[in-house]
């Protein structure tokens, strides 16, 4: 069963599921949903892994802005931001 909220996706990552499965599966559900706001409203737990915690905040904010939803307050938590830029695959 796919995660129906961003919070559930992060719970699955914490439980050991690959982030490259849990988050895309959540996004599939989000894109197909007619009621998107509740899917990002609840604050996901922190994994303690950066840049993942920052990415989760970015996903929540992006989805809210893209679909003209209310931006959840939890995305502004300072732990959702990186101290230094991150480039995937070592690109700089």
């Amino acid at each position: 069963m796919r995660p129906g909220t961003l919070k559930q996706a992060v719970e699955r990552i914490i439980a050991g599921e690959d982030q490259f499965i849990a988050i895309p599966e959540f996004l599939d559900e989000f894109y197909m949903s007619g009621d998107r706001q509740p899917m990002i409203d609840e604050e996901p737990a922190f994994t303690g892994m950066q840049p993942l915690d920052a990415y989760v905040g970015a996903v929540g904010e992006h989805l809210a802005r893209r679909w003209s939803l209310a931006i959840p307050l939890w995305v502004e938590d300072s732990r959702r931001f990186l101290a230094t830029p991150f480039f995937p695959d070592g690109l700089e």
Side-chain angles (χ1 to χ4, degrees), residues 35-75:
D35 189 16
R36 294 183 173 116
Q37 186 70 56
M39 299 176 80
I40 60 170
D41 278 344
E42 285 190 82
E43 181 173 8
F46 288 94
T47 65
M49 297 180 287
Q50 285 290 14
L52 179 58
D53 287 329
Y55 178 67
V56 169
V59 167
E61 183 175 355
H62 169 75
L63 294 174
R65 288 181 187 277
R66 170 63 180 83
W67 275 272
S68 301
L69 305 172
I71 299 171
L73 294 177
W74 60 262
V75 305

Side-chain angles (χ1 to χ4, degrees), residues 22-43:
I23 292 177
E25 285 187 350
F26 159 71
L27 291 172
D28 286 345
E29 293 300 310
F30 183 89
Y31 299 144
M32 294 186 300
S33 177
D35 189 16
R36 294 183 173 116
Q37 186 70 56
M39 299 176 80
I40 60 170
D41 278 344
E42 285 190 82
E43 181 173 8

